[in-house]
Amino acid sequence: MATETVMRCADALARSPYAERTMETTSRRVAAEVARTIADERVAHADEIVRAAAAAAKDTATETARQVAEETSASLAAEAAARTLKESREAVAEALGESREAVRETLGTERRKVEEELARTRAELDDTQGQLTEALGRTRRELAEAREEVVLSAGRFARDEAVRVVAEAVAEQVPPVVEVRVAEADPVRVGGHSHVVLPDVLLALGAGCHVLLVGPAGTGKSMMARQTAEAFGQEFHALSLGPTTPMSKIFGYYDAHGQYHGTPFRSAFEHGGLMLLDELDSGHPGLLAELNQALSIRSCAFADGMVAAHPEFRLIATANTYGTGGDRQYVGRQALDAATLDRFVVIDVPVDEDLEERIALAHAPSRPEDTLRVIEEVRRLRATAAEKRLPVMFSPRAGIDAAKLLQAGASVEQAIRWRVVRGMSAAHRSALGLAADGGEGAE
Ligand SMILES: Nc1ncnc2c1ncn2[C@@H]1O[C@H](COP(=O)(O)OP(=O)(O)OP(=O)(O)O)[C@@H](O)[C@H]1O
Ligand SMILES: [Mg+2]
């Protein structure tokens, strides 16, 4: 419509000058109006456009906004999600950290608990182990004690058995009683251990003879004299002679008050009894000469007068030599003159090794085996000394004393060293096959 108006106005304008002018003015006005209208239309249109545009814009904006919003919300959501994720992550991390910490703490606590428990268990274990070790030690000790006891009992049993066997053997070997019958007289009996020559001595004495027992030291001479007194049921008197033994010891003396003092010899001579003159070869020659008279004529001049011998007077003398004077072993012995010797039945008293063994065993009933070892060594030494003619003595007395030492608790080595080979020179030790250091064979 605006265009038609414009066209009409333009035609009228073109046909008149006025019109021209008017047209011009009108056209101008119309133009202005048109222009205005157009402008208005345009404006309206523009407004419409603007509205449309606005609407569109609004729509677009809305869409955009929506998109944007969506995007934004998406991004926001993403961001939120990311943040949430991050936060979650952080939270998780924190939680994780906390958990870790908690776990660590729990772990630490648990570990401590476990460690404590472990330590307690270990301590208990140590304790138990200690108790076990102690119990084991105690058991071991008890076992050792029991074993020792068993060994001891076995040893005791074996020893008792050995002693019993030895005692039986001894009982079998040794007739408990030595019986000697002299002519028509009653038989005489001796119980216990006795020397192999005892019956000879009893026989000689029973025959009314005086007896001189000659033999090395410790073979049992003095003991035999005592046994014979018992066998004859007689009182036993003894006097040991030495170079300084005075006459008065045999024949008695008067004191300052005129009182006579008798002697054992006087008692036996006058009232009957067995007189032992020990170590006759040590006696002074003058004293022996005085004795000769009493022994031959059975009458003796005592300080208070002559006394006749009792029929039951018996005399045993002992000597280590045959009256030939001293030698390297028996120094200071007197030579017994022929007259003295002539008054005695001389009986050799050698070492009776069976007797030596029996006596030694009797003195050490708890150590028979050790005693036999000692006796064996004594015999070996004795044989070696005799073979090599060494001036050393291994008497039965030594073996018997060694047995007493064993019984008292000494070792075999001690018993031999203290009693058998003591004080011996190095040369003799070597000749006898003994160790130079004094160790006499280990236990
Ligand atoms: N028949 C026996 N019964 C028990 N012990 C005995 C017996 N014979 C000897 N003895 C003992 O032997 C040891 C030596 O004996 P005795 O003293 O009689 O010997 P001896 O020959 O007289 O010695 P010595 O020549 O040194 O005087 C003594 O300890 C003694 O107790
Ligand atoms: Mg003697």
Side-chain angles (χ1 to χ4, degrees):
M1 189 175 69
T3 311
E4 281 171 20
T5 312
V6 171
M7 288 310 283
R8 226 174 29 240
C9 290
D11 192 48
L13 201 54
R15 275 164 206 180
S16 73
Y18 176 69
E20 220 176 278
R21 275 186 324 267
T22 313
M23 241 178 91
E24 200 183 333
T25 314
T26 308
S27 70
R28 277 190 193 140
R29 217 179 41 241
V30 169
E33 236 170 78
V34 167
R36 206 178 291 124
T37 305
I38 288 171
D40 287 345
E41 277 181 3
R42 292 260 171 102
V43 167
H45 195 62
D47 282 349
E48 201 174 322
I49 288 172
V50 166
R51 269 198 305 280
K58 189 184 167 195
D59 288 350
T60 309
T62 306
E63 181 62 19
T64 307
R66 195 178 57 78
Q67 278 178 5
V68 166
E70 270 176 12
E71 279 169 18
T72 309
S73 75
S75 84
L76 276 175
E79 201 177 307
R83 201 170 45 246
T84 309
L85 201 69
K86 189 173 167 235
E87 277 172 4
S88 301
R89 200 174 281 154
E90 277 172 10
V92 166
E94 198 178 326
L96 211 65
E98 278 172 11
S99 301
R100 211 171 270 156
E101 190 56 38
V103 165
R104 199 172 292 142
E105 214 168 277
T106 313
L107 217 65
T109 313
E110 285 306 312
R111 188 180 291 154
R112 269 197 303 283
K113 271 189 201 159
V114 167
E115 278 173 1
E116 276 172 20
E117 189 62 30
L118 210 67
R120 215 174 17 254
T121 311
R122 202 170 281 154
E124 280 174 8
L125 209 70
D126 284 354
D127 205 24
T128 313
Q129 198 166 312
Q131 284 174 4
L132 267 175
T133 310
E134 203 175 304
L136 203 71
R138 217 174 19 247
T139 311
R140 221 170 254 160
R141 272 197 305 281
E142 282 170 8
L143 208 70
E145 277 171 17
R147 192 180 295 148
E148 208 169 299
E149 181 57 33
V150 165
V151 169
L152 267 177
S153 315
R156 262 199 300 273
F157 175 75
R159 197 176 55 211
D160 290 350
E161 214 29 32
V163 169
R164 194 181 60 73
V165 168
V166 167
E168 275 178 15
V170 166
E172 273 172 24
Q173 281 180 20
V174 187
V177 174
V178 170
E179 185 175 298
V180 177
R181 188 179 291 274
V182 184
E184 301 303 312
D186 289 340
V188 287
R189 294 186 179 86
V190 179
H193 301 299
S194 61
H195 197 284
V196 69
V197 301
L198 181 66
D200 301 351
V201 177
L202 290 171
L203 186 75
L205 287 172
C209 302
H210 304 310
V211 174
L212 174 62
L213 301 176
V214 180
T219 53
K221 299 180 294 294
S222 303
M223 179 60 89
M224 227 180 322
R226 186 180 291 276
Q227 283 178 318
T228 55
E230 276 172 32
F232 285 112
Q234 288 191 297
E235 208 173 322
F236 179 67
H237 305 274
L239 176 67
S240 194
L241 300 182
T244 58
T245 306
M247 298 278 193
S248 59
K249 283 274 185 185
I250 300 259
F251 305 110
Y253 66 96
Y254 278 101
D255 65 18
H257 305 287
Q259 181 74 39
Y260 174 75
H261 291 265
T263 64
F265 182 81
R266 168 71 181 264
S267 299
F269 194 85
E270 188 174 3
H271 307 296
L274 193 136
M275 181 71 210
L276 168 64
L277 286 179
D278 228 348
E279 323 283 345
L280 188 74
D281 53 350
S282 292
H284 189 269
L287 185 132
L288 297 183
E290 284 295 323
L291 261 177
N292 285 346
Q293 181 197 2
L295 301 183
S296 56
I297 60 169
R298 297 191 69 80
S299 176
C300 181
F302 287 93
D304 59 340
M306 289 295 289
V307 175
H310 190 280
E312 295 288 294
F313 166 65
R314 293 190 171 93
L315 179 77
I316 293 182
T318 69
N320 293 126
T321 62
Y322 286 101
T324 50
D327 59 21
R328 284 171 72 190
Q329 278 187 31
Y330 300 102
V331 291
R333 301 303 161 101
Q334 307 298 318
L336 296 173
D337 71 0
T340 304
L341 281 175
D342 196 36
R343 284 159 170 78
F344 288 96
V345 167
V346 178
I347 296 179
D348 275 334
V349 185
V351 173
D352 181 344
E353 292 195 332
D354 283 348
L355 174 65
E356 172 187 49
E357 188 177 300
R358 291 197 303 269
I359 296 169
L361 284 169
H363 278 106
S366 66
R367 310 271 299 272
E369 282 165 30
D370 289 342
T371 303
L372 291 177
R373 283 174 65 192
V374 168
I375 293 299
E376 202 174 305
E377 177 65 356
V378 170
R379 286 177 186 165
R380 184 190 74 77
L381 292 166
R382 188 181 289 145
T384 309
E387 185 193 323
K388 298 188 175 177
R389 299 180 173 279
L390 299 174
V392 287
M393 197 191 307
F394 299 100
S395 81
R397 195 181 273 124
I400 291 166
D401 283 352
K404 290 177 187 171
L405 288 170
L406 289 177
Q407 181 65 16
S411 67
V412 170
E413 185 270 331
Q414 287 171 328
I416 293 176
R417 179 154 48 88
W418 293 344
R419 189 57 185 90
V420 182
V421 298
R422 76 271 193 252
M424 206 161 276
S425 73
H428 286 157
R429 291 187 68 88
S430 139
L432 289 163
L434 294 166
D437 60 2
E440 318 305 347
E443 281 283 277

